[in-house]
Amino acid sequence: YGNADEGGRNKLDYNKMVQVPVLVVLPAQKQPIEQKVADLQILSKELQKKSEKLLNEAKDKFKPEKINGNLRNWYNLTWDKFKSEIKKYGGVVIDKQSFDWVDIFKENQKEAQVLALEIRRQEQELNEMLYALYGFSPAEIELIENAN
């Protein structure tokens, strides 16, 4: 087993493990949570698909060297900030392209923002379901919420 501090492995002590409280969840409690998770997965995939489509078109059109974190969340950027991020990574946005692309960007941005807002709303609902299931107090919930 060895000492974990010296690169050895930790030893799990069964007698200590059985003292860890494990919540028993009934099927009636589990079903709405599973449904909420499934709904969130669908929304997240839809947002990812929309984002990848726009970013692939932007890569083809403007030729940036890479897509950074800010561009990955393009729907949170203004058009000017989006252009700035493209240019920062070696992309070229010509005024005529800009004129054509601003409408494409804004239309897709609205749709992506609606999806992102719905994801946040449903994540909060899921959190509230889990807080209730575990019986967290308002103080515990505040601690969890403020840790993120």
Side-chain angles (χ1 to χ4, degrees), residues 78-136:
T78 63
W79 170 246
D80 288 335
K81 182 68 175 162
F82 179 79
K83 285 192 313 185
S84 171
E85 291 296 318
I86 291 284
K87 290 176 184 177
K88 187 189 306 184
Y89 290 95
V92 178
V93 182
I94 301 168
D95 286 340
K96 183 178 180 339
Q97 289 174 319
S98 181
F99 181 76
D100 294 339
W101 249 76
V102 69
D103 291 333
I104 294 168
F105 176 84
K106 287 183 177 182
E107 181 181 319
N108 282 281
Q109 182 183 44
K110 285 179 189 174
E111 294 171 10
Q113 286 175 336
V114 166
L115 285 169
L117 185 62
E118 182 62 16
I119 289 168
R120 284 193 296 274
R121 187 186 70 74
Q122 289 202 26
E123 283 176 340
Q124 185 58 39
E125 286 179 9
L126 178 60
N127 288 344
E128 290 168 8
M129 292 167 80
L130 293 170
Y131 298 155
L133 183 65
Y134 280 89
F136 289 162

Side-chain angles (χ1 to χ4, degrees), residues 25-36:
V25 181
L26 302 173
Q29 295 170 307
K30 191 179 352 178
Q31 192 279 328
I33 292 170
E34 289 175 340
Q35 183 61 53
K36 184 63 67 183

Side-chain angles (χ1 to χ4, degrees), residues 1 9-17:
Y1 290 88
R9 294 180 284 168
N10 287 324
K11 179 180 177 184
L12 295 177
D13 186 341
Y14 173 78
N15 293 321
K16 290 180 182 173
M17 291 298 292

Side-chain angles (χ1 to χ4, degrees), residues 63-81:
K63 310 285 190 240
E65 294 170 12
K66 67 178 184 174
I67 299 294
N68 71 346
N70 286 337
L71 283 174
R72 292 229 172 273
N73 296 316
W74 60 269
Y75 48 87
N76 293 326
L77 303 175
T78 63
W79 170 246
D80 288 335
K81 182 68 175 162

Side-chain angles (χ1 to χ4, degrees), residues 38-50:
D39 292 346
L40 276 164
Q41 288 174 329
I42 290 167
L43 287 168
S44 294
K45 285 179 184 176
E46 193 175 335
L47 179 58
Q48 181 181 6
K49 194 171 162 182
K50 177 164 283 306

